[in-house]
Amino acid sequence: MTDLCAEDLATIYAKPSPRVIAKARPAIDAHAKKFIEMSPFCVLATSGADGSVDASPRGGGIGFVRVAGPNQLLMPDRSGNNRIDSFRNVVEGSGFVHLLFFVPGIDETLRVGGRGTLSADPDLLASMVEFGKPPRAVLNVAVSEVYFHCGKALMRSKLWSADKVQRAVMPSIVEVIHDQTGLGERESQAIVEERYKAQL
């Protein structure tokens, strides 16, 4: 297999249309704001000082990411695995972040880019209580680019199709990690889900 170089790309892909270029906006407009306010899930991508990239899922109630202004987003950080790879990248790496927002039932997605900083201001944390708990920190994104992706990827994947994989086809995440590492005790999916619910 031969790897492609930059010059090869122009022979494979046509130039993007002016419309595709123009859709990248410098701020959150009314359409993007509405989409974010309907979204219960996004993927957060960050880059580290060594050039590594991290992408992690983030979710909450509908509109869990707050639009604080046309160039500001506030994302609460909920209970997780405490690796904090994303947040280490924000404070030690480039500071650049990208968010990809999803709304169940809509095939288009929304991408938001900018620079992130972290806050643990008590008043801010108290204003973002969800699931009966304040977040541990809040990611403050100074937004510089916003654009909608077409729905082709989600249409191809049939992501919102009623045909869903039954959870039982995979072992629980704890069983997977036990098999991979030999650490911890094997636990069923039912036990894992009950713990998840208590830790939201």
Side-chain angles (χ1 to χ4, degrees), residues 36-40 60-65 130:
I36 294 166
E37 290 173 345
M38 293 190 298
S39 175
I62 291 171
F64 76 103
V65 175
E130 190 177 14

Side-chain angles (χ1 to χ4, degrees), residues 97-179:
V97 301
H98 264 85
L99 298 160
L100 188 62
F101 288 93
F102 295 76
V103 174
I106 297 179
D107 288 328
E108 289 75 23
T109 54
L110 178 71
R111 185 153 123 184
V112 179
R115 281 190 174 271
T117 55
L118 295 177
S119 175
D121 177 78
D123 291 337
L124 180 58
L125 300 185
S127 75
M128 302 190 84
V129 170
E130 190 177 14
F131 309 108
K133 303 172 188 174
R136 297 174 299 174
V138 173
L139 175 63
N140 180 12
V141 181
V143 174
S144 58
E145 184 179 53
V146 182
Y147 63 92
F148 283 94
H149 283 282
C150 76
K152 292 175 187 172
L154 272 67
M155 291 174 73
R156 291 181 188 116
S157 67
K158 299 180 181 177
L159 187 62
W160 309 131
S161 167
D163 298 328
K164 296 180 181 175
V165 174
Q166 296 300 309
R167 182 61 184 85
V169 303
M170 279 288 291
S172 76
I173 189 170
V174 175
E175 291 171 314
V176 169
I177 294 171
H178 176 80
D179 290 345

Side-chain angles (χ1 to χ4, degrees), residues 12-136:
I12 299 172
Y13 297 97
K15 288 184 178 181
S17 69
R19 186 175 180 179
V20 168
I21 299 298
K23 74 176 183 175
R25 311 308 299 161
I28 300 166
D29 68 1
H31 300 294
K33 182 175 186 288
K34 181 175 183 179
F35 197 91
I36 294 166
E37 290 173 345
M38 293 190 298
S39 175
F41 176 79
C42 68
V43 176
L44 169 65
T46 59
S47 56
D50 61 355
S52 62
V53 176
D54 179 75
S56 64
R58 302 296 168 123
I62 291 171
F64 76 103
V65 175
R66 181 184 301 170
V67 179
N71 292 98
Q72 185 183 23
L73 288 181
L74 298 172
M75 173 187 284
D77 183 51
R78 305 294 173 192
S79 174
N81 60 17
N82 294 322
R83 283 184 54 120
I84 57 173
D85 296 316
S86 299
F87 285 175
R88 286 192 193 284
N89 285 348
V90 168
V91 299
E92 298 174 357
S94 71
F96 288 116
V97 301
H98 264 85
L99 298 160
L100 188 62
F101 288 93
F102 295 76
V103 174
I106 297 179
D107 288 328
E108 289 75 23
T109 54
L110 178 71
R111 185 153 123 184
V112 179
R115 281 190 174 271
T117 55
L118 295 177
S119 175
D121 177 78
D123 291 337
L124 180 58
L125 300 185
S127 75
M128 302 190 84
V129 170
E130 190 177 14
F131 309 108
K133 303 172 188 174
R136 297 174 299 174

